[in-house]
Amino acid sequence: MQNITGWLDDRFRIAENGSTVGREVTAGLTTFLAMVYVVVVNPTILSEAGMDFGAVFVATCLAAAFGTLVMGLVANYPVALAPGMGQNAFFAYTVVLAGGTSWQAALAMVFLSGVVFVVLSVLPVRAWLVNSVPRGLKTGMAAGIGFFLALVALRNAGFVVDDPATLVALGDLKSFGPAATLVGFCVIAALFARGIRGELIIGILVLAAAGWLSGQTAFHGVASLPPSPAPVFLAMDLAAAMNFTALTVVLALLLVDMFDTAGTLVAVASRGGLLSEDGRLPRLGRALLADSTATVFGGLAGTSSTTSYIESAAGVQSGGRTGLTAVVVAVLFLACLWFAPLAESIPPYATSAALLFVACLMVRGFVDLDWDDACEAVPGVATALCIPLSFSIADGIGVGFIACAVIHLLSGRARACPPAVYVVAAIFVAKFLLLD
């Protein structure tokens, strides 16, 4: 046992980072409990696009395990990865259901965005690209995806419904689903306020149990052999993704994944005291490579874009400082493969309550906006508003970039706007004029 501990310490530089093997294992368990809800929520959302629930469940577990393992072994960071919330809703509801694209073609777009991300991760321009987008747009993307998730969650739960006069209206709160969503959301928020780890999965299971006991939801069991991944594995249609519309989707997926990853890595590293003296993130290229290869793997396995999870901060708060924390999380995701019946027994109102809470956390980035600078604040707010109201992350990002470019030009601050913003804005102008 001492030999194993010594080997782990040497491999992950545990003592050098002020941690212990036991603390790293505990941190891995904490991070896993904070984000295990994804194995239920992700297949629930993607199944709306016509994908097989069981196969996506397997793809979710495998993509999370692969990406997290690479992050731990290659980058040596206590950061876990999984299919991202928001990216999966964009995949299912915007690209497939609203856009009329097949889910096979959408998987190809995920794969292509991952390939581009891999290329950018190994090139020296990666830092320039991450830093080239103004803070307001980055904040607007995160908040807009949060609002988008909230709308999806409320709609799926029947909390908001279609209305011919006002577009949306409040649903019937006397029915079980909407009422359960509201109660579950409050329970999750209360658990979070009390500092109880795993508040999301606890809330999901409590709501699910209420549904099982009341006969509102069928219970399919707890464990079994993993479902077959065949229905979605290597099912992507690359030929159908070779068009200009697909380019804007790939671009949106790339931008969201890249900036979400960079922001999460810096936030988690900062909380764990892992930044260098000048505030930079050591081994950034390796961390970005882990994230990008995970997205490529996810596209092949049959799930939406994989990204770094801010829930990793829970493990860092518990003492995790090295990649061993991530390795523990990866092993636990693999163990989840045998619990598909339990995941399939979780009702929509339970996952909706968790999604709504995640959405609230994503919006808090607005606090960092410089509200006195219209060139920063207005494009950020425009992005955040247009993502849910257009029901499209890609279109919302496009409006934000166009607004940022035009406002800088008209305000006499054209040189203060990075060239990358003008390039992306031009692409979306072409899309809106020629295709929409």
Side-chain angles (χ1 to χ4, degrees):
M1 184 66 180
Q2 188 172 2
N3 290 337
I4 295 177
T5 302
W7 180 83
L8 290 173
D9 183 69
D10 292 339
R11 174 64 180 78
F12 294 100
R13 296 183 294 173
I14 296 174
E16 179 183 331
N17 284 279
S19 186
T20 65
V21 172
R23 195 179 300 162
E24 294 292 308
V25 172
T26 301
L29 178 60
T30 302
T31 294
F32 175 75
L33 289 175
M35 60 182 291
V36 66
Y37 67 90
V38 71
V39 305
V40 176
V41 177
N42 193 58
T44 298
I45 290 176
L46 296 192
S47 63
E48 292 285 317
M51 302 176 72
D52 181 81
F53 182 98
V56 176
F57 172 82
V58 172
T60 301
C61 293
L62 292 178
F66 175 84
T68 306
L69 192 63
V70 175
M71 181 67 77
L73 295 178
V74 176
N76 197 28
Y77 277 122
V79 176
L81 294 87
M85 296 295 104
Q87 289 98 315
N88 49 15
F90 175 55
F91 179 106
Y93 299 111
T94 302
V95 179
V96 177
L97 295 178
T101 303
S102 69
W103 60 261
Q104 292 91 341
L107 282 179
M109 297 174 196
V110 171
F111 172 79
L112 292 173
S113 72
V115 171
V116 176
F117 196 1
V118 168
V119 174
L120 295 177
S121 297
V122 299
L123 291 177
V125 298
R126 60 177 179 266
W128 173 80
L129 287 170
V130 170
N131 296 324
S132 64
V133 175
R135 180 177 58 179
L137 284 177
K138 295 177 184 176
T139 300
M141 286 183 211
I145 292 171
F147 289 136
F148 183 59
L149 277 181
L151 181 59
V152 168
L154 293 172
R155 191 191 72 165
N156 288 353
F159 201 94
V160 296
V161 295
D162 295 336
D163 187 278
T166 61
L167 295 182
V168 294
L170 190 66
D172 181 10
L173 298 188
K174 297 187 296 294
S175 59
F176 188 86
T181 298
L182 179 59
V183 171
F185 169 72
C186 293
V187 168
I188 292 171
L191 292 173
F192 179 80
R194 288 176 171 269
I196 297 175
R197 304 297 185 193
E199 70 281 352
L200 286 167
I201 193 63
I202 292 173
I204 288 174
L205 290 176
V206 167
L207 283 181
W212 301 332
L213 294 175
S214 64
Q216 296 286 333
T217 304
F219 179 68
H220 302 292
V222 176
S224 70
L225 290 174
S228 170
V232 299
F233 183 69
L234 296 180
M236 61 183 185
D237 184 356
L238 283 172
M242 298 299 176
N243 54 69
F244 189 76
T245 300
L247 171 63
T248 60
V249 173
V250 170
L251 181 60
L253 290 170
L254 175 65
L255 290 173
V256 171
D257 198 3
M258 180 179 296
F259 299 128
D260 186 28
T261 296
T264 297
L265 289 171
V266 171
V268 173
S270 177
R271 183 170 298 190
L274 302 175
L275 297 177
S276 62
E277 292 183 359
D278 59 356
R280 294 183 179 274
L281 187 69
R283 307 183 301 281
L284 173 61
R286 295 184 184 183
L288 292 178
L289 188 62
D291 195 293
S292 56
T293 55
T295 293
V296 172
F297 180 89
L300 294 171
T303 185
S304 51
S305 300
T306 302
T307 189
S308 300
Y309 262 60
I310 193 62
E311 283 84 348
S312 304
V316 170
Q317 192 70 29
S318 298
R321 294 293 183 273
T322 75
L324 181 57
T325 294
V327 171
V328 172
V329 177
V331 171
L332 292 172
F333 269 119
L334 288 177
C336 277
L337 286 169
W338 279 265
F339 294 94
L342 180 61
E344 199 164 2
S345 301
I346 304 298
Y349 49 81
T351 56
S352 293
L355 271 181
L356 187 58
F357 181 73
V358 171
C360 292
L361 296 183
M362 294 182 72
V363 175
R364 61 185 173 185
F366 263 149
V367 71
D368 296 325
L369 272 183
D370 183 358
W371 293 98
D372 294 325
D373 184 356
C375 289
E376 175 181 321
V378 174
V381 174
T383 302
L385 290 175
C386 287
I387 286 176
L389 295 180
S390 67
F391 216 71
S392 170
I393 293 176
D395 289 345
I397 289 175
V399 169
F401 271 85
I402 293 171
C404 185
V406 173
I407 292 172
H408 274 85
L409 285 171
L410 297 181
S411 62
R413 296 170 57 183
R415 293 186 178 181
C417 186
V421 173
Y422 292 115
V423 173
V424 175
I427 292 174
F428 276 103
V429 166
K431 174 186 181 294
F432 293 146
L433 292 179
L434 300 177
L435 299 177
D436 289 358

